[in-house]
Amino acid sequence: MVKWFDPVKGFGFVVADEGGPDILLHVNVLRNFGQSSVADGARIELLAQRTERGVQATSVTSIQPPEGSQAAALADIVGMDAEQVLAAPLEPARVKWFDKSKGFGFANVFGKREDVFLHIEVLRQSGLSDLQPGEALAMRVIEGKRGSMAAEVQAWETVLVQDQDDDA
């Protein structure tokens, strides 16, 4: 489980289920998985190695959002059937900008001009805590009261792995 991760510092720590020393998670290892951040409390599977400086993650194999992260649902999504959200296609997008302190940002779906609103609670529900400009995503976009908004966000590489698993 992710103990804490600070995208500004570029690292954080993971606690193994079986105990032992904390595992250092560097942002470069996370980026190799296709994410630049991970939410505190997220379940994470990784490979690690012992070094002179302690145990360090070498690769991430999966990330599950923290349990109970659905608590702060967005008003635009409340009342929407989960199947209705899941019926929206996963679309490729890039982050235009995201400000964690403000709790929101915008992305653009490839081939479309309009901005898509990204709320931090949607990120948390997806196991993310922050986004960087230019970061590739897959999003389920819905029409909210104020326009297009992301109802689900996934790291692009996660979707590619799922597609490969589906093809197998």
Side-chain angles (χ1 to χ4, degrees):
M1 179 176 70
V2 176
K3 186 174 185 178
W4 63 267
F5 187 84
D6 186 335
V8 174
K9 291 181 179 178
F11 70 92
F13 288 93
V14 174
V15 178
D17 289 341
E18 58 276 358
D22 289 353
I23 301 166
L24 175 69
L25 176 61
H26 193 272
V27 71
N28 288 337
V29 173
L30 202 52
R31 283 186 185 134
N32 287 338
F33 183 71
Q35 293 184 200
S36 60
S37 69
V38 63
D40 296 351
R43 305 261 332 136
I44 187 168
E45 290 183 22
L46 52 78
L47 299 175
Q49 70 180 20
R50 187 168 300 280
T51 70
E52 295 174 1
R53 300 173 74 187
V55 181
Q56 296 183 9
T58 56
S59 67
V60 173
T61 57
S62 74
I63 296 175
Q64 299 295 318
E67 292 184 21
S69 62
Q70 304 282 343
L74 294 172
D76 283 337
I77 297 174
V78 172
M80 285 191 80
D81 188 328
E83 289 180 19
Q84 192 177 8
V85 171
L86 289 175
L90 277 171
E91 299 184 80
R94 286 230 182 259
V95 176
K96 187 173 182 178
W97 65 268
F98 189 83
D99 187 330
K100 185 176 179 178
S101 65
K102 290 181 180 179
F104 70 92
F106 291 91
N108 297 111
V109 172
F110 290 120
K112 298 181 181 178
R113 289 180 172 229
E114 69 180 7
D115 288 343
V116 177
F117 180 74
L118 288 167
H119 194 277
I120 196 158
E121 288 305 322
V122 172
L123 290 188
R124 287 184 183 136
Q125 290 171 12
S126 301
L128 299 165
S129 66
D130 201 359
L131 297 171
Q132 301 302 313
E135 191 168 343
L137 301 171
M139 301 187 311
R140 293 189 197 279
V141 179
I142 61 169
E143 283 304 311
K145 294 175 184 170
R146 297 182 182 170
S148 295
M149 65 178 292
E152 180 183 349
V153 176
Q154 295 183 30
W156 183 247
E157 285 76 1
T158 303
V159 176
L160 292 176
V161 170
Q162 288 172 358
D163 286 347
Q164 290 171 357
D165 290 346
D166 292 345
D167 293 341

